[in-house]
Structure formats: C-alpha cells, structure tokens
Amino acid sequence: MKLYEKPAHILHNMLEKKEITAVELAKDLLARIDAVERDIGAYLTITRDEALAAAETVDQKIAAGEKIAFLEGIPGAIKDNICTKGIRTTCASKILEHFVPPYDATVMQKIYKESPVILGKLNMDEFAMGGSTEHSAYHPTHNPWDLARVPGGSSGGSAAAVASGTAIWALGSDTGGSIRQPASFCGVVGLKPTYGRVSRYGLIAYASSLDQIGTITRDVTDCAHILNVIARHDAMDSTSSKADVPDFTQSLRAKVEGLRIGLPKEYFVKGIDAEVERVVRAAIKKYEEMGAEVVDISLPHTDYAISTYYIIAPAEAATNLERYDGVSYGERVDGEDLVQMMTNTRDEKFGEEVKRRILIGNYALSAGYYDAYYLKALKVRTLIQQDYIEAFQKVDVIMAPTAPTPAFRIGEMAEDPLQMYLQDVCTVPLNLAGLPGISIPCGKSEGGLPIGLQIIGKPLDEATLIRTAYTYEQAQGGVNEMAKLGGND
Ligand code: GLN
C-alpha cells in the first residue's frame, strides 16, 4: 500500500515509530495531487508551502521526542465553506472569490490544535446547494472510480480527494446529505453527526437549522478519532449541544450481537435502483449473520421529506444569503445607484442554482404563502421527527441505502433540478429530524461503482453508529478499497 492510500491511524503509528517523516508524507500527498488532481478537480485552493512548513514543524517535534496528537502531521483538506483564517474560502461561489476569512471556524481551531498538515480547500456545489458538485462556480469534480461521473455533492471535493488519495481525511458539511451521498458515490466513510454535536461557528451558512459539519475518511477508525477532535459544546454557536461527548474510539469494537436494526419499508420503494437495493440488503443480512436482529419498521411521513426539505432549506438559504449585497459581504459589481449595484452584484455573482433556491425560499416566505408553505413544512418536519422517535423505541439503529443510485454521469441531471432533488430522498429526513447518520461502503454495482449503506442513529448516539459501522468494516477485512487511477499508482 502506498503512503497516500493508508488511513490516518496507520500513518499516525508510522510517524510515531519514526518509520516515515511528516515531510515525506506531505511530499507523497503533494506528488499524488500533481499526478491525479488534473483529472479529479477536488481542490479549489492548494496550500503547498503551508503544508510543507507544517510538516517540518511536526518533524522537529518528533525529533525532540515529544508525543504527537492523532492528526499531527497527517495531510487532510477542508471543504471550502469552512472558514480558514488567512486561507481563501470561496464556498465555490464567484461572490466570495477573494474572501480570506479573518478568523477560523471553531472546528478549525480544534483541528489546528492537533497540528495536521492542511493541503487546501475542497470543491463543492456553490453554497452547498446540490448533490453533484457540478454547481461549483469554478469547475466540476470527477468521481475517481469513473471520471465521467459525478463524485456526489455538495462535499464532492472532500469525498473525491479522500477516495483518490489526494487527502487522507477531509471535513465536509451536510444539510440534506452532502457528506453521506458523496461518501457513498466515492466509496469512503462519511459521518454527519447529530445536529449541534459539532459547532457551526465559521461554517458559511446554507440552511442553519439543518447544517452540520462532519468527517469524510478512509475508514471508521479515522472517523471516530476525528469526531473526538471536533465534537464539543461551543458558546459561539447557540445551537451547539451541551451533552457530554464520549470518547468515540471506545466504540471501535466489533460487536453487534443483540443490536436491533430497523428496516424502514419506505426506504426500499420505487426509485431505488435494483442493484443498490440488492447490495444494501446483502449488507444488512451480514449484520443478521453476525447476531443482530432485523425489525421491519415504518416511517410513514418519509414521502413528504423531499418537499418539506425543499421548502425549509431554500427559505433559510434565502434569508442567509441576503447578506451578499456587495456592501456587507460579497464581491461588488457596480451600478448606477445602490439598488442597481446590489442587483448587479447578485445577478452576476450568484450561479443559477443559488438563484433558484433564493427565489423558491422567498416565495415560500412571502406574505400570503408563508402559512401554506413554510409553516406547513415546519409542521410536517415535526411529524417526520416523531416518526423517528417512535421507531427508535423499537430499534437501536435504522439502516437504508444512502443514495437511490450509484454515481450518475456528469451532465445527466444538470438540466433537471427536480430529478437532482429526488436524489436526496434517503438523506434529507435525518437532517429534518437532526439525527446522526453514517455512510459506509458496502459493495459495488456491476459496473464497479461504490454503493453506500446508511446507518441512522438516535440523537447524540454516534457511538452506536461507529460501533455498528466498524463491525461491518472489520467483517469485510477492515480495509476499504481505493479507486484505481493512473499517475503514481
Ligand atoms: N442536495 C441537497 C441540496 O441540494 C443537500 C445539500 C447539502 O447537504 N448541503 O440541498
């Protein structure tokens, strides 16, 4: 296995034992970027010099005999909607093309305490609106398993980087599936923690009641370690949870005997690709063989999740994006007067999908329509939450596909927004209910594309998700296959 193919926990041990140096490791990843990034397009900004400087500091520390933190010297990268002090943060939008945050997001403060090697900022759908990374204002990202296909989105850069070996780990954000769906499309592990588990301070807002930062990693072990780093109450985020944070590495135990797995009938209906269903059901069967108990459950309001989400998310987005007016925020485009300047700014600098969401959101919030759309959506959101509360009285976790299909072709859905929205059918209910969910690779389609199993947990019970996911991974040999690409493979 090449260095860039290894998970962080293995590389951490190698650094500790002085089998490799942090500089060697950083150079290996940078060489991998040179070799394959042209084909993948996972990055928007590459911080080569800073990465090498950070690696040198780590090596000095190791040479001095100091103990190193888990992420110390391990190359990773960050979705470009998470503020990084001094490093351009564009949200893949032209409106923030030259925005260099004057502060770090809380997650970055926590990550930097570990002294990792940050390789750069990752591509995404503009303002995290999308499921294919085709809505980036800069360039699309390609799926490492098949370059003609999308990596998913909106954290498509994060998933493609980890899957192609141009980052060992990455942070993403998930508002309606944006960590889990790209993880599923790219054959990596993606965790969306419980809403409030990880601070949103410094995450550029899309839909504030749904947004959550999480991890994209090679395996479940790395996921547990990085969640330990980023999960904590934060006074800077009023929605941040005050609940105790366990040591998630304690859940890296292969044991599912007696675990009750709920199988929601509404997640295995028309629209789910037959191959996806077959592979996911086979994975669930494997759990049964390992001693888990599978229970049929019903989440009756699942059918309404997409329409509810596509009212609430755009409504919040329309409000959040008001600040980009060329005065408070956003790259200004001049006009004859103030109104014209603001109109020009928003017209020229926002992409089509962002404008579509702003229009939908403002429509749903406008007087006369508010009750019919926004208020009604909030009520249905409560019903969806209650479905889960009831289901979790009978089961410990719920399993379903992460996405209804494997990765689709670039351009295949670009002209059909509704088709693209329907892709989120299995992921948005969790965001509406605030629940944690993890996607792990559970097999491949006949065409060789990865398929993800989604495991849904009770609020704040990431520990059970990690144990459940880890058990499957161990049963598969403990190593998730990497995409095969050219370059220095
Ligand atoms: N695909 C969904 C959307 O476009 C989810 C995006 C996300 O989770 N950020 O809204």
Side-chain angles (χ1 to χ4, degrees):
M1 225 197 253
K2 307 270 171 27
L3 284 185
Y4 63 77
E5 289 180 330
K6 295 183 196 292
H9 58 98
I10 303 268
L11 294 167
H12 170 79
N13 291 342
M14 293 175 80
L15 283 170
E16 248 184 353
K17 289 192 200 132
K18 300 196 171 107
E19 290 168 10
I20 50 167
T21 68
V23 169
E24 259 165 44
L25 179 57
K27 284 189 173 159
D28 192 73
L29 269 287
L30 290 169
R32 179 68 176 166
I33 288 177
D34 290 339
V36 303
E37 174 56 14
R38 211 177 318 113
D39 294 334
I40 303 290
Y43 282 85
L44 288 173
T45 303
I46 297 173
T47 50
R48 199 174 285 268
D49 296 342
E50 294 87 337
L52 286 172
E56 269 166 32
T57 312
V58 173
D59 281 339
Q60 284 158 12
K61 215 170 143 182
I62 295 172
E66 283 180 49
K67 222 180 131 44
I68 53 168
F70 179 77
L71 280 182
E72 200 138 357
I74 310 291
I78 311 296
K79 187 176 181 180
D80 211 22
N81 59 352
I82 297 175
C83 283
T84 41
K85 187 175 174 179
I87 304 173
R88 190 174 78 119
T89 300
T90 67
C91 236
S93 181
K94 289 284 178 192
I95 212 157
L96 288 175
E97 188 167 4
H98 301 106
F99 173 56
V100 178
Y103 70 105
D104 275 320
T106 297
V107 282
M108 290 315 296
Q109 294 171 22
K110 294 188 179 305
I111 290 278
Y112 281 133
K113 275 206 185 118
E114 297 255 314
S115 307
V117 167
I118 300 295
L119 295 167
K121 302 298 293 286
L122 297 162
N123 202 14
M124 54 185 279
D125 287 296
E126 183 176 2
F127 282 99
M129 296 172 188
S132 67
T133 314
E134 291 165 292
H135 297 315
S136 166
Y138 298 95
H139 53 79
T141 297
H142 298 258
N143 190 312
W145 294 84
D146 177 349
L147 297 176
R149 289 178 190 265
V150 304
S154 64
S155 312
S158 304
V162 174
S164 63
T166 58
I168 303 296
W169 58 274
L171 292 186
S173 70
D174 190 314
T175 305
S178 278
I179 289 177
R180 290 160 286 153
Q181 183 253 26
S184 157
F185 281 12
C186 291
V188 290
V189 175
L191 172 77
K192 176 201 108 64
T194 310
Y195 182 77
R197 189 55 121 176
V198 177
S199 171
R200 288 182 298 111
Y201 179 69
L203 169 68
I204 298 177
Y206 162 14
S208 310
S209 78
L210 303 159
D211 295 342
Q212 185 58 203
I213 294 174
T215 57
I216 294 193
T217 53
R218 295 276 159 72
D219 64 17
V220 180
T221 302
D222 283 0
C223 169
H225 278 279
I226 302 175
L227 187 60
N228 270 358
V229 176
I230 61 175
R232 201 73 53 208
H233 172 69
D234 178 17
M236 299 299 281
D237 171 2
S238 61
T239 59
S240 149
S241 165
K242 290 198 169 124
D244 286 343
V245 181
D247 173 359
F248 294 106
T249 61
Q250 295 294 314
S251 301
L252 298 171
R253 285 181 290 124
K255 187 176 178 307
V256 289
E257 253 160 42
L259 183 85
R260 286 165 308 162
I261 299 172
L263 217 58
K265 64 170 193 279
E266 293 81 2
Y267 279 69
F268 293 90
V269 286
K270 64 174 181 350
I272 303 291
D273 179 274
E275 269 190 311
V276 170
E277 174 159 0
R278 183 174 46 75
V279 170
V280 167
R281 281 195 190 274
I284 296 170
K285 185 110 192 71
K286 185 106 207 159
Y287 275 104
E288 245 181 330
E289 286 162 20
M290 293 189 291
E293 182 194 338
V294 175
V295 182
D296 287 323
I297 58 161
S298 171
L299 298 164
H301 296 92
T302 303
D303 248 7
Y304 305 108
I306 292 270
S307 18
T308 305
Y309 173 86
Y310 276 100
I311 297 287
I312 294 176
E316 294 186 19
T319 314
N320 276 326
L321 270 57
E322 261 169 30
R323 74 192 66 171
Y324 304 98
D325 54 8
V327 182
S328 329
Y329 287 96
E331 202 113 339
R332 180 178 304 175
V333 181
D334 280 329
E336 278 160 29
D337 55 23
L338 184 70
V339 171
Q340 203 52 53
M341 180 278 285
M342 288 183 179
T343 309
N344 290 349
T345 297
R346 291 169 70 86
D347 188 34
E348 279 185 35
K349 298 291 181 178
F350 280 145
E352 284 301 302
E353 185 59 30
V354 173
K355 286 182 197 162
R356 186 177 295 120
R357 307 280 177 118
I358 292 174
L359 284 174
I360 296 173
N362 282 329
Y363 184 81
L365 289 173
S366 55
Y369 293 117
Y370 184 94
D371 286 359
Y373 293 109
Y374 184 65
L375 200 62
K376 198 165 185 179
L378 291 184
K379 289 177 182 166
V380 180
R381 181 177 189 173
T382 305
L383 293 175
I384 291 170
Q385 279 164 345
Q386 282 168 353
D387 281 355
Y388 280 103
I389 293 172
E390 252 172 60
F392 277 126
Q393 280 165 2
K394 287 184 270 187
V395 297
D396 303 305
V397 295
I398 295 172
M399 289 190 188
T402 306
T405 62
F408 47 90
R409 286 199 173 74
I410 293 179
E412 194 175 326
M413 292 193 198
E415 299 307 316
D416 189 350
L418 193 59
Q419 207 48 38
M420 188 88 94
Y421 297 170
L422 290 172
Q423 269 284 321
D424 303 334
V425 58
C426 304
T427 45
V428 295
L430 279 71
N431 300 73
L432 291 168
L435 302 172
I438 191 167
S439 179
I440 55 168
C442 71
K444 283 197 278 184
S445 70
E446 271 167 24
L449 297 170
I451 292 172
L453 168 71
Q454 182 175 217
I455 313 171
I456 306 165
K458 295 178 185 173
L460 297 166
D461 194 13
E462 291 86 359
T464 303
L465 288 192
I466 287 169
R467 175 165 60 84
T468 309
Y470 181 77
T471 306
Y472 184 82
E473 199 177 78
Q474 288 302 304
Q476 301 303 301
V479 181
N480 293 314
E481 188 190 335
M482 296 261 306
K484 287 278 167 285
L485 280 159
N488 55 343
D489 261 347

